Amino acid sequence: MPFATAAAAACSTATATACTAAAVTAPVPGPAAVSSLAEPLPVLGLDVTVPLASGHRVPYAALDQAASAPVLRQVWDEVAEYAPYYGSVHRGAGHLSRLSTELYEDARETVARFLDCREDDQVVFTRATTDSLNLLASALPAGCRVYVFETEHHAALLPWRGAEVTLLDAPGGPAAAVAALERALTAREDDGPALVCVTGASNVTGELWPVRELAAVAHAHGARIVLDAAQLAPHRPVSVRDLDVDWVALSGHKLYAPFGAGVLAGRADWLDAAEPYLAGGGASRQVVRREDGGLDVEWHTGPARHEAGSPNVVGVHALASACRALTEASPALLAEREQALLDRLTEGLAALPGVRVLSLFGDEAPRVGVVSFVVDGRDSAELAERLASSHGIGVRAGLFCAHPLVRHLLGGRRDEAAECGETGGSPLNAVRASFGVGTPVEHVDRLLSALADLIHETA
Ligand SMILES: Cc1ncc(COP(=O)(O)O)c(C=O)c1O
């Protein structure tokens, strides 16, 4: 980075100050030995203590990372390093404006490399996955039919309101998912535009979806496919080229870069042909007042078309920084470490009486570090609350903005109502524990022993 040397001294002071403000007292206890594994990547927040109902404080165990992940230290440091050099993007003639513009456009290239995009793909910066998928929904060609499994997160299930939507039933396994899509696309009565939307990893079960195979089926039938990588990218490398998906969407705040940026990357044609997602400065190349008093607008093509307004250069820089950090850290070692934590968690849960881990594809199906479960006779919301108030553990309870999927997994009726983000009241809810590249083994162990306590206390 051009400002790196000059900024280094100022930045280390800024970082230290900011971190001291967030940090509190006791360090995290040493992890149980999983000694052959790579070290967790450094993240902020491990030394933050939280109050318990007892009045004591304990270090917080952040096990709700599928919602939002802690910030990587490298990301935080690079953001702090850039902060004094912050300036407007795409407009100023001044040095810092030019530097910020360069940083913003460099970030686009970093993200394109991270996602292994094709040469002519576009990387559009958005606010998050929901925004990215809504942007794509706004760019669908006329008459486009969308194919989506009922098991998707609402961000992938709901944006397609202007299109004809074919909702596919929850499949019993990856092969069944591919077969269901094949059947649905074969039954298509026209050869108009079509789009398949699928997640890479479920935000409820953590299970990996057969993205490459679904992409092959989509393309064989002349359809396109968008990958919702909100849960996949924080855990596994995503290659647009290798998976052969047309677009990919992700969120910075789930990728250890919580500064409000997201990505839609992929094919340019539908995006360039669509009306701008937002109308305003930056998206317009030229605006001319006509004789009749109206306006003629010439819109940009390329990412600028859908990035009207002042861009979130800090968020985008943070996102690019996370992409670099994850690539440099060796994805294979990170995946190996995650698998060891996952095994520890699922084996521990299996040993607890009355605990049922939710799974669509079967217990042996590969998954990322996202595990939802229910405990016989216990309300999940109450369990999550007790994990927080008695043990300082942050998990989530509810239907995880994937109502049809959770109802299916819990055997509820499809039409049963519940609110998104709901934490109480409905028996149709589950507990979700999710971790990431910075999670210490101790957090998983603490969750298991806390659950054992809570289960035995009512036995
Ligand atoms: C699989 C999946 N897709 C999309 C989203 C939406 O992401 P965001 O809230 O960052 O827009 C989430 C959020 O939890 C998710 O888990």
Side-chain angles (χ1 to χ4, degrees):
M1 277 185 310
F3 53 84
T5 318
C11 168
S12 55
T13 321
T15 309
T17 313
C19 291
T20 315
V24 199
T25 48
V28 175
V34 183
S35 48
S36 62
L37 293 178
E39 288 294 309
L41 293 194
V43 291
L44 301 193
L46 291 178
D47 48 3
V48 169
T49 64
V50 292
L52 302 182
S54 64
H56 292 109
R57 297 183 72 90
V58 292
Y60 186 62
L63 292 176
D64 189 15
Q65 301 201 11
S68 282
V71 58
L72 277 171
R73 173 161 293 283
Q74 181 171 327
V75 170
W76 181 258
D77 288 349
E78 288 191 22
V79 166
E81 192 177 348
Y82 164 60
Y85 299 85
Y86 172 77
S88 64
V89 172
H90 294 153
R91 26 192 79 115
H95 186 77
L96 298 195
S97 290
R98 292 226 298 270
L99 194 132
S100 291
T101 302
E102 200 179 309
L103 195 80
Y104 188 77
E105 293 304 328
D106 281 354
R108 229 188 270 288
E109 286 173 27
T110 302
V111 170
R113 272 196 303 280
F114 178 71
L115 294 173
D116 192 21
C117 288
R118 296 158 292 242
E119 285 299 307
D120 50 357
D121 281 340
Q122 279 185 4
V123 172
V124 183
F125 289 119
T126 64
R127 289 181 300 162
T129 307
T130 305
D131 204 28
S132 301
L133 295 174
N134 275 274
L135 160 58
L136 186 60
S138 77
L140 297 181
C144 189
R145 180 171 280 281
V146 176
Y147 295 81
V148 59
F149 286 92
E150 63 168 332
T151 46
E152 293 293 333
H153 186 282
H154 295 173
L157 198 57
L158 303 181
W160 322 109
R161 286 168 295 178
E164 290 289 322
V165 177
T166 300
L167 207 53
L168 304 171
D169 289 347
V178 177
L181 183 65
E182 175 85 58
R183 270 194 309 279
L185 289 173
T186 305
R188 207 147 71 103
E189 280 164 7
D190 59 72
D191 57 0
L195 177 74
V196 177
C197 177
V198 69
T199 191
S202 164
N203 71 307
V204 176
T205 65
E207 289 165 323
L208 295 166
W209 277 65
V211 177
R212 194 181 292 105
E213 293 78 1
L214 291 168
V217 169
H219 291 151
H221 288 272
R224 293 196 172 184
I225 183 164
V226 55
L227 168 63
D228 171 357
Q231 298 297 343
L232 185 62
H235 301 276
R236 296 282 189 284
V238 174
S239 166
V240 166
R241 234 182 274 253
D242 179 43
L243 294 171
D244 197 19
V245 291
D246 297 282
W247 292 276
V248 58
L250 58 80
S251 302
H253 72 104
K254 295 183 195 290
L255 199 72
Y256 317 101
F259 294 90
V263 169
L264 177 68
R267 308 264 181 219
D269 52 357
W270 286 11
L271 297 175
D272 278 346
E275 285 293 303
Y277 186 45
L278 294 173
S284 45
R285 184 178 285 134
Q286 182 164 234
V287 182
V288 178
R289 186 87 197 264
R290 284 194 310 261
E291 292 278 313
D292 66 5
L295 291 175
D296 277 335
V297 185
E298 190 189 332
W299 300 106
H300 279 295
T301 52
R305 187 179 189 84
H306 299 293
E307 290 180 358
S310 300
N312 175 5
V313 57
V314 173
V316 159
H317 177 48
L319 182 51
S321 167
C323 293
R324 282 191 293 274
L326 291 173
T327 309
E328 285 159 14
S330 169
L333 288 179
L334 293 179
E336 188 191 1
R337 180 169 197 283
E338 172 166 314
Q339 189 57 48
L341 291 193
L342 199 48
D343 292 345
R344 200 174 180 94
L345 177 59
T346 49
E347 282 161 24
L349 289 173
L352 292 173
V355 173
R356 178 165 69 90
V357 170
L358 304 187
S359 160
L360 189 60
F361 295 166
D363 291 343
E364 300 307 315
R367 59 168 85 204
V368 298
V370 177
V371 178
S372 297
F373 57 90
V374 288
V375 179
D376 283 351
R378 297 293 292 262
D379 176 46
S380 296
E382 185 257 343
L383 271 179
E385 199 285 318
R386 288 293 308 282
L387 287 169
S389 62
S390 303
H391 300 275
I393 298 169
V395 294
R396 179 166 168 193
L399 290 91
F400 318 120
C401 293
H403 292 184
L405 171 59
V406 178
R407 278 198 203 98
H408 174 81
L409 293 169
L410 295 178
R413 289 197 336 263
R414 278 206 168 113
D415 58 353
E416 212 156 347
E419 287 169 28
C420 191
E422 169 186 22
T423 52
S426 169
L428 270 183
N429 58 11
V431 179
R432 182 181 71 189
S434 51
F435 54 84
V437 295
T439 302
V441 181
E442 183 271 333
H443 288 187
V444 171
D445 291 348
R446 180 144 43 114
L447 172 65
L448 290 169
S449 79
L451 277 171
D453 282 358
L454 294 174
I455 289 169
H456 287 127
E457 116 194 328
T458 51

